[in-house]
Amino acid sequence: MNEVYTILEDSDIDFMRTALELARQAQAIGEVPVGAVVVREGTIVGRGYNRSITMMDSTAHAEVMAIRDAGQNEGNYRLLDCTLYVTLEPCVMCIGALFHARISRLVFAATDPKTGACGSVINLPAETRLNHHMQVSGGVLAAQASAMLKQFFAARRKTIGQNNNEN
């Protein structure tokens, strides 16, 4: 991974634990277990978890849901001086949403080697030609987030295999 910064604050682990709890809520309803929170001045102002399947909305990623919630709670689509915590490295769409919301800092847990846009596949936050820049930290509680995702996809493959064997 390129250019992922590891400047951490004392509260990063606590907020990531909250994001992991939201990921568990996503998993409980059959969604890919990813959770996110938006924090301003030590207070959670937005929460979200993946709901693409249940909402039949490909944009309903955890980050987007947390940004939408924060925008409503803050009364502004600009989330200046906010940090977004998410359990999986954001995709290109979600990084775009963070840029447009003017999120100042991003903290993620597990890397995403297939769609990660913070260094795994592409590194949009490091792109100097873009008009917004944010501080990025990766790897906070990565083992827990990664284990949850691996467990989810292993169970899904098992279910799909069982369904194929029944036909």
Side-chain angles (χ1 to χ4, degrees):
M1 237 171 32
N2 300 328
E3 306 277 335
V4 172
Y5 308 103
T6 55
I7 301 167
L8 301 176
E9 296 178 4
D10 292 339
S11 58
D12 286 347
I13 291 173
D14 292 333
F15 289 124
M16 190 61 73
R17 283 189 180 125
T18 301
L20 284 165
E21 181 53 41
L22 290 164
R24 287 183 198 91
Q25 290 179 34
Q27 185 172 14
I29 62 170
E31 295 278 358
V32 176
V34 179
V37 294
V38 176
V39 175
R40 180 192 303 277
E41 297 177 359
T43 301
I44 295 173
V45 296
R47 299 170 190 265
Y49 53 86
N50 273 1
R51 297 198 352 220
S52 295
I53 297 166
T54 53
M55 293 180 71
M56 292 181 260
D57 178 356
S58 60
T59 68
H61 289 195
E63 301 93 324
V64 172
M65 301 307 292
I67 288 169
R68 288 175 181 167
D69 188 43
Q72 290 295 308
N73 292 333
E74 293 290 289
N76 196 337
Y77 73 106
R78 296 284 196 216
L79 300 172
L80 302 171
D81 301 319
C82 287
T83 299
L84 185 131
Y85 295 83
V86 63
T87 59
L88 183 64
E89 179 182 2
C91 69
V92 170
M93 176 187 71
C94 290
I95 287 296
L98 271 71
F99 284 166
H100 287 288
R102 299 299 191 259
I103 296 289
S104 300
R105 183 167 178 256
L106 165 66
V107 179
F108 66 89
T111 58
D112 186 346
K114 294 186 179 185
T115 65
C118 295
S120 290
V121 175
I122 190 170
N123 194 344
L124 289 177
E127 178 54 62
T128 59
R129 294 174 292 178
L130 296 173
N131 69 333
H132 179 68
H133 300 94
M134 68 183 82
Q135 183 184 71
V136 178
S137 300
V140 177
L141 300 181
Q144 293 91 322
S146 182
M148 189 183 306
L149 287 158
K150 287 177 183 173
Q151 176 190 17
F152 174 82
F153 285 112
R156 180 171 273 183
R157 283 190 296 277
K158 184 177 178 182
T159 300
I160 291 169
Q162 289 173 348
N163 289 342
N164 287 340
N165 291 334
E166 292 173 2
N167 294 332

